[in-house]
Amino acid sequence: MPSLIDMRRRIRSVRNTQQITKAMKMISAARLRKAQERAFNARPYAGLLREVLASLAGRSENIQHPLLTERPQERITVLVLTGDRGLCGGFNTNILRATERFLAEHFDKQIEVIPIGRKGRDYLKRRVNVVQEYTGIYAKLAYSDAKTIASQLISAYSEGTTDGVYIIYNEFKSVISQKLTVTQLLPLKTLQPDAGAVSEQSAQSATQATDSSGTTDYLYEQPPQELLATLLPRNVEVQIFGSLLESNAAEHAARMTAMDAATSAAGDMIESLTLTMNRIRQAAITKEIIEIVSGAAAI
């Protein structure tokens, strides 16, 4: 049976750990509010950009752009978004498992991986072909980071050095829920013309109108092909930036949840250790009383 001193030391150690996990929970909660707000604010812009692109695609019968060109995917580039730090439950583990499944499903392809985050880099660089890595960008996440990454991917796809680009990340749903997402970035597939789209000749002004059904109909000054040349690369940048924001918010949520669970577990352990310590102390007192009574009886 451990001594009373040993039990006090263990309780003190667990209490110190509890204070650390509680502080980390509070820090993650504060950071989550800001990250969640940025992720939510980016969603309407990304959705509206896709809507405008779909409208532009419907105005042109023959869309020609390198980012829309589909070809057999023999060389694939995968963007893997993990965190820079641990202590966030299964956040990083789930991403890496999804990456392994993706690699297993495309075992016959030539795959290059671009990890974002130290956890993904440390795990993947010993297992797959890592062509580029980005670490430490979540501390001050900016649109320029997404623009840099998108520029590299767009150049690779346009030059034909890769035939497909995918991204694997955790999409933020709520504090206790993240959605593991595997989506294709390139080639873009969401811009196929609609059957009932208006013709290119009707695009003359830079205003927008709403028809009787409530669907927004955009009118443009520039030709659709010229606008697509500018907006398609921007769409890739926005998708990557949105994924980074979603992953950042999901990481803070996962860490806050994990630290909350750790704090509660530490509290339960302190109660259990305190109960055990009291039993040891009670047993020691009982033993001393028995020795005193036995000595008095002997005298």
Side-chain angles (χ1 to χ4, degrees), residues 22-80:
K22 186 177 181 180
M24 293 182 64
K25 172 191 171 183
M26 296 176 63
I27 293 173
S28 295
R31 292 177 176 175
L32 173 62
R33 285 191 290 269
K34 182 178 180 181
Q36 180 179 347
E37 183 179 357
R38 293 186 70 187
F40 285 169
N41 290 340
R43 290 177 182 177
Y45 180 84
L48 187 58
L49 179 58
R50 286 193 296 269
E51 181 181 336
V52 172
L53 286 172
S55 175
L56 280 170
R59 298 175 183 275
S60 179
E61 297 181 356
N62 298 316
I63 303 176
Q64 300 293 332
H65 195 278
L67 300 184
L68 298 176
T69 303
E70 295 189 27
R71 49 182 180 263
Q73 295 188 359
E74 298 297 331
R75 295 163 296 182
I76 298 176
T77 302
V78 185
L79 201 62
V80 181

Side-chain angles (χ1 to χ4, degrees), residues 149-176:
I149 299 170
S151 176
Q152 176 186 352
L153 297 176
I154 291 172
S155 297
Y157 190 83
S158 300
E159 295 170 1
T161 57
T162 185
D163 302 319
V165 179
Y166 292 80
I167 183 170
I168 304 176
Y169 68 100
N170 275 316
E171 181 182 355
F172 177 80
K173 290 297 183 182
S174 66
V175 175
I176 59 175

Side-chain angles (χ1 to χ4, degrees), residues 224-288:
Q225 194 70 34
E226 181 179 337
L227 287 174
L228 284 174
T230 302
L231 293 182
L232 287 177
R234 175 66 62 86
N235 183 48
V236 178
E237 297 172 3
V238 169
Q239 287 192 61
I240 294 176
F241 186 56
S243 301
L244 290 171
L245 293 176
E246 297 282 349
S247 180
N248 190 36
E251 180 185 358
H252 288 311
R255 182 170 290 107
M256 188 185 74
T257 303
M259 292 300 99
D260 180 62
T263 302
S264 300
D268 295 339
M269 183 175 292
I270 289 174
E271 292 181 3
S272 177
L273 292 174
T274 301
L275 181 61
T276 303
M277 183 187 68
N278 291 336
R279 288 176 178 173
I280 294 174
R281 183 170 57 184
Q282 184 179 7
I285 294 173
T286 303
K287 181 179 179 181
E288 291 178 0

